[in-house]
Amino acid sequence: MSKRVLQFFGLAVMAMVAAGSFAPRATAADGDFRVTLLGTGTPVPSPERFGPSTLVEAGDQKLVFDFGRGVTIRLAQLKIPFGKIDAHFLTHFHSDHLNGLPDLWLTGWLRPPYAQRSKPMTIYGPPGLAKLTKGLTEAFSRDLEIRGEDEKNPPAGIAFDVHEVKPGPVYEKDGLKVTAFQNDHGELVTPSYGYKIEYRGHSVVLSGDTRYSAEVVKQATGADLLVHCVTVIPDELMKKFPVYERILKHLSSPEVAGKVFSEAKPKLAVYSHIGLNGGATPADLIARTRKVYDGPLEVGRDLMTITIADKPTAAMRN
């Protein structure tokens, strides 16, 4: 067999493998409601914990909340084409929640099976979102021109459908409802939202980045699932690097998060946006939380999926 034929055969096999690897997985069955932690990290560059991002699936709808570093990689691991996301939601404008957005937006416009967005990218978030998306469009204008002309990618697929929202109901479709609410990420970090997602008599609350917030407690009271941020910063680290004191003032320690869990009493509490600093471990995180909260608790990991039912269950997703 000639070298040229072998090369052609190899390329053909690679194409078939690529297409097969993104063959659509079975969607959530009608009535299924599940949450997958795409990224459970912070600004810390980590191969184990990618930037903050959460996938919510309700029936055949797929929603993504926040776009931390690596969001496209985690979606690819789940074999979810980026063009199949129904709506996207931003909590606030800190870079660790945003640096994966250009990748998801631009890569989602491509034509291979992992992308294929052919309609505008629907995105909801606080006021200021239109300025952000306009800036991205300008920043990548040359790439958009080249790919539009060269690859004939559909113009609609690279457009943004922007919805700047205030606290209150922001999305409702086929029994799925999303409500934005104001959390407390510090005096300067405003607006900053959490989101409550309701579907077929069940509810999930994503706290967003927040210190203690009575509004988070209110929204999460009786919820099936509360996903909450947490940060562990040992005292000696704060003494060595005073900036950590300012960081902790904007976020929740395990004791603060545990207080929220104790007051809201969700059926399951799960940590995400997990800051383990100065050698802190998940065991430290759990021990400190247990000082004030003795209910159901999971320390989130990337690709952990929580199935929402009368008794929520968490498992790693393959």
Side-chain angles (χ1 to χ4, degrees), residues 89-90 123-129 162-171 179-182 191 193 195:
F89 299 80
L90 177 66
I123 184 167
Y124 297 78
L129 185 59
V162 178
H163 300 260
E164 292 191 342
V165 299
K166 296 180 179 180
V170 298
Y171 178 94
T179 300
F181 60 88
Q182 183 77 43
Y193 292 167
Y195 288 97

Side-chain angles (χ1 to χ4, degrees), residues 31 105 167 209 214 262 277:
W105 169 57
D209 284 10
S262 294
N277 302 284

Side-chain angles (χ1 to χ4, degrees), residues 204-276:
V204 168
V205 172
L206 309 178
S207 75
D209 284 10
T210 188
R211 51 193 181 184
Y212 177 83
S213 168
E215 187 63 24
V216 172
V217 173
K218 175 183 174 182
Q219 296 292 336
T221 295
D224 293 274
L225 171 66
L226 170 56
V227 179
H228 203 284
C229 68
V230 69
T231 294
V232 178
I233 306 176
D235 290 341
E236 57 271 21
L237 189 63
M238 284 195 283
K239 291 178 183 177
K240 188 174 182 180
F241 299 101
V243 67
Y244 279 110
E245 287 190 47
R246 295 194 291 274
I247 291 172
L248 188 56
K249 287 179 180 179
H250 296 87
L251 292 165
S252 297
S253 67
E255 292 81 3
V256 167
K259 181 175 186 287
V260 172
F261 300 156
S262 294
E263 293 177 359
K265 296 179 174 58
K267 291 182 181 178
L268 177 62
V270 173
Y271 279 130
S272 190
H273 195 280
I274 300 167
L276 295 175

Side-chain angles (χ1 to χ4, degrees), residues 1-317:
M1 188 178 292
S2 72
K3 182 178 180 180
R4 190 169 186 176
V5 171
L6 283 171
Q7 288 176 331
F8 176 80
F9 179 74
L11 290 171
V13 169
M14 289 173 64
M16 287 188 289
V17 170
S21 68
F22 270 83
R25 286 189 174 188
T27 58
D30 187 29
D32 280 0
F33 189 17
R34 60 194 182 194
V35 175
T36 299
L37 306 178
L38 300 176
T40 58
T42 64
V44 176
S46 167
E48 289 83 28
R49 295 188 183 277
F50 284 5
S53 185
T54 305
L55 171 70
V56 174
E57 297 172 282
D60 62 357
Q61 295 188 70
K62 293 177 173 60
L63 313 180
V64 170
F65 294 79
D66 281 336
F67 321 100
R69 182 187 300 115
V71 59
T72 54
I73 297 172
R74 293 303 188 215
L75 287 171
Q77 288 178 282
L78 299 177
K79 300 182 181 178
I80 296 176
F82 313 147
K84 297 297 183 182
I85 305 301
D86 294 275
H88 311 74
F89 299 80
L90 177 66
T91 58
H92 65 293
F93 294 103
H94 268 154
S95 61
D96 56 314
H97 295 253
L98 276 172
N99 49 25
L101 177 59
D103 187 13
L104 183 59
W105 169 57
L106 292 165
T107 308
W109 186 43
L110 305 183
R111 294 302 92 195
Y114 55 77
Q116 296 192 338
R117 188 191 314 108
S118 297
K119 59 183 180 181
M121 184 177 184
T122 301
I123 184 167
Y124 297 78
L129 185 59
K131 180 180 180 181
L132 171 71
T133 55
K134 181 181 179 182
L136 286 175
T137 303
E138 292 176 353
F140 288 95
S141 60
R142 186 61 187 136
D143 178 52
L144 307 188
E145 292 169 0
I146 293 169
R147 291 191 186 277
E149 184 174 346
D150 181 34
E151 301 172 19
K152 309 303 180 186
N153 296 348
I158 200 60
F160 281 107
D161 176 19
V162 178
H163 300 260
E164 292 191 342
V165 299
K166 296 180 179 180
V170 298
Y171 178 94
E172 195 159 0
K173 181 180 178 183
D174 296 336
L176 177 62
K177 180 181 178 181
V178 178
T179 300
F181 60 88
Q182 183 77 43
N183 59 25
D184 185 355
H185 197 18
E187 295 176 2
L188 296 178
V189 191
T190 57
S192 178
Y193 292 167
Y195 288 97
K196 183 173 185 176
I197 305 102
E198 299 171 276
Y199 184 67
R200 297 202 166 190
H202 294 284
S203 63
V204 168
V205 172
L206 309 178
S207 75
D209 284 10
T210 188
R211 51 193 181 184
Y212 177 83
S213 168
E215 187 63 24
V216 172
V217 173
K218 175 183 174 182
Q219 296 292 336
T221 295
D224 293 274
L225 171 66
L226 170 56
V227 179
H228 203 284
C229 68
V230 69
T231 294
V232 178
I233 306 176
D235 290 341
E236 57 271 21
L237 189 63
M238 284 195 283
K239 291 178 183 177
K240 188 174 182 180
F241 299 101
V243 67
Y244 279 110
E245 287 190 47
R246 295 194 291 274
I247 291 172
L248 188 56
K249 287 179 180 179
H250 296 87
L251 292 165
S252 297
S253 67
E255 292 81 3
V256 167
K259 181 175 186 287
V260 172
F261 300 156
S262 294
E263 293 177 359
K265 296 179 174 58
K267 291 182 181 178
L268 177 62
V270 173
Y271 279 130
S272 190
H273 195 280
I274 300 167
L276 295 175
N277 302 284
T281 67
D284 299 328
L285 175 56
I286 292 172
R288 289 178 56 177
T289 306
R290 288 304 185 201
K291 294 177 182 179
V292 292
Y293 173 69
D294 61 2
L297 175 67
E298 294 279 355
V299 177
R301 291 180 288 164
D302 288 19
L303 297 180
M304 175 183 283
T305 291
I306 303 94
T307 300
I308 309 302
D310 290 339
K311 184 178 180 180
T313 56
M316 292 304 295
R317 185 163 169 178

